Every structure is written in C-alpha cells, then in structure tokens.
Amino acid sequence: MLDPESEIIIALFKKRPRRTVSTLKNQSKIVLEKLVSEGKLVRLDAYYLAGHEPTVESESDRIVKTLLSKPRLF
C-alpha cells in the first residue's frame, strides 16, 4: 500500500508517463526517489512511469517529429 503522496504522484504519471524535474517541482524529491528505488518510476533525463521508458525507436520518432514541426528557412 502506498502513502497518499505516492499515490498522487503515480496518478500524475498515469495521465502522462513522462515528467521532467521542472514539472514535478511541487512534489517531494524524497518521495520521487523512494518510488524510483521501489521500481515504480524510472529516472533517465526525466522521470518515467515504469514500463513507459523510451526506446530507441520512440525517441528517434519523437526527434523526427520535433524537427519536422520547426519552421524552415529554405
């Protein structure tokens, strides 16, 4: 059973599995680290809900989509 603060954080991640540190600034770093140590979250460049970590394919798709959405000079 998770404590209420952990349940709130997990609920946020279920809505959007990737969260950056800046979007989690109101959350307790201690609780985040506890969830990482329990294996419920994964920390790379951002925090991810376990099982929703990026793959090489998903990251390359994201990069291509970002680059194609930028305006071009020529």
Side-chain angles (χ1 to χ4, degrees):
M1 192 72 172
L2 296 174
D3 59 273
E5 194 171 359
S6 296
E7 289 179 7
I8 291 169
I9 292 173
I10 294 294
L12 288 173
F13 276 92
K14 287 183 178 177
K15 291 179 185 173
R16 199 173 89 211
R18 181 183 189 272
R19 301 273 174 169
T20 60
V21 176
S22 63
T23 61
L24 292 168
K25 61 184 170 190
N26 295 334
Q27 306 302 327
S28 169
K29 299 293 182 209
I30 296 169
V31 176
L32 287 170
E33 292 304 319
K34 183 181 89 165
L35 290 171
V36 168
S37 69
E38 291 175 356
K40 302 216 184 280
L41 297 179
V42 177
R43 171 113 194 249
L44 299 172
D45 63 326
Y47 288 95
Y48 293 87
L49 185 60
H52 294 275
E53 306 89 17
T55 61
V56 172
E57 294 82 17
S58 68
E59 283 299 293
S60 64
D61 290 343
R62 185 182 64 81
I63 291 168
V64 168
K65 188 188 302 182
T66 301
L67 290 174
L68 291 175
S69 69
K70 300 291 181 193
R72 299 179 188 179
L73 289 175
F74 303 100

